[in-house]
Amino acid sequence: MYKGNTGLITNYVNDIRIANQAEANVVVVGPPVMIRFTVAEFLKRGIKEENIWVSYERKMCCGIGKCGHCKIDDTYICLEGPVFNYVKAKNFID
């Protein structure tokens, strides 16, 4: 039987030990709503926007930029990502 944490990841962000928050980099992967709220928690902890990375891999289909399924604004996720710095990703209209 699983004995680890369960529930919302945002409940556990403050439990993560980060030695140097000014230099720490974090990667957030998951559904969009989870990414949004988890990034917000890391920002509250003082992690810089440029040190936060998010994945849009869920948007990819063909992987070569032909089908357009992954296109957000003028960005093809499969060609330019799928992992993006939050400074850029926060402006994606998904």
Side-chain angles (χ1 to χ4, degrees):
M1 179 175 208
Y2 179 72
K3 303 276 186 201
N5 295 334
T6 61
L8 299 174
I9 184 65
T10 52
N11 293 335
Y12 301 103
V13 169
N14 285 327
D15 296 341
I16 300 169
R17 287 178 289 189
I18 301 174
N20 184 350
Q21 291 187 162
E23 298 299 320
N25 281 272
V26 298
V27 179
V28 183
V29 178
V33 69
M34 189 210 78
I35 290 173
R36 183 175 344 124
F37 287 106
T38 304
V39 166
E41 290 299 314
F42 280 116
L43 291 172
K44 283 186 216 174
R45 284 202 60 186
I47 304 296
K48 299 175 195 171
E49 285 186 351
E50 58 268 19
N51 291 355
I52 298 174
W53 300 85
V54 296
S55 174
Y56 280 86
E57 186 172 356
R58 67 180 173 77
K59 297 286 290 177
M60 294 191 322
C61 193
C62 73
I64 58 173
K66 297 296 181 190
C67 74
H69 182 262
C70 70
K71 190 173 181 188
I72 299 177
D73 300 326
D74 61 347
T75 302
Y76 283 89
I77 301 301
C78 67
L79 297 178
E80 297 181 41
V83 178
F84 292 89
N85 187 273
Y86 182 67
V87 172
K88 179 173 181 165
K90 71 180 180 179
N91 296 313
F92 287 163
I93 298 173
D94 185 19

